[in-house]
Amino acid sequence: MAKKIVAGNWKMNKNLQEGIALAKELTEVVKNPNCDVIIGTPFIHLASVAEVIKGSCIQLSAENCANKASGAYTGEVSAEMVKSTGAEYVILGHSERREYYNETPEILKEKVELALANGLKVIFCIGESLEEREANKQNEVVKAELAGSVFHLDAEAWKNIIIAYEPIWAIGTGKTATADQAEEIHAYIRSCVAEVYGAEAAAETSILYGGSCKASNAPELFAKPDIDGGLIGGASLKAADFKGIIDAWG
Ligand code: PEP
């Protein structure tokens, strides 16, 4: 069975003090969850938040890392640096980074490899635009995104990949994919994983849904057999909202 996960993606929100306060609040309200709980924070928060959540059930993720190992890349943050903060995960392939920072499948492949080489687990985001959905191209889009950046990994490396299906038209828009729409493509994604890594590995791969997921729609989404949890943007910025989604796992 795939691990059940609720992961937050704070994006470029919260200054350091606000981030520490939110992490503290989460350690107080999230107790004995029925899923893994991860918070994805900006780089500058990582080391401090790692201290705050030490000994709690909350795990830590970065939202990005460089596609170079080290050296003269002013302003970049390497996978090794991320790992040294205490973070265990990194979110890669988010549609905002693909779109606004021109992250191509090749760049993402380099980032994935460096993240894994440095002992990070990768939350790898895929998902189609509204135009692609309207042209019924969502399956070919997600398969190409997987093939372009992660399907070259060997079976051992694959165990450190979590997939987040995030239809771009549902991110931050208040428009959620219906549970049936999400389940249909999650099942397809799992079948793609099975083609490459076999049925057993596919069954053990966590496939998260992201896109305007909140406490009110999480129970219906998480009840679907191929939805193993959520990657949460807006609703991860308030402890009560995030906890509401975690509680959807019962
Ligand atoms: C995201 O960007 O990862 C996301 C799912 O955002 P939101 O929950 O705000 O739609």
Side-chain angles (χ1 to χ4, degrees), residues 179-197:
D180 286 339
Q181 262 176 334
E183 169 58 20
E184 190 180 7
I185 191 155
H186 276 234
Y188 173 73
I189 292 165
R190 203 177 299 283
S191 77
C192 295
V193 176
E195 271 174 29
V196 181
Y197 296 102

Side-chain angles (χ1 to χ4, degrees), residues 12-33:
M12 197 172 72
N13 293 295
K14 308 270 176 207
N15 65 29
L16 180 58
Q17 291 72 29
E18 291 165 346
I20 289 171
L22 175 55
K24 265 197 192 128
E25 203 183 341
L26 286 169
T27 62
E28 285 154 15
V29 300
V30 180
K31 303 275 184 203
N32 305 313

Side-chain angles (χ1 to χ4, degrees), residues 21-34 37 39 52-53 56-58 235-247 250:
L22 175 55
K24 265 197 192 128
E25 203 183 341
L26 286 169
T27 62
E28 285 154 15
V29 300
V30 180
K31 303 275 184 203
N32 305 313
N34 286 326
V37 177
I39 49 177
V52 171
I53 62 176
S56 79
C57 58
I58 297 168
S236 70
L237 294 172
K238 283 195 185 142
D241 294 348
F242 195 51
K243 183 184 180 311
I245 297 171
I246 294 164
D247 289 346

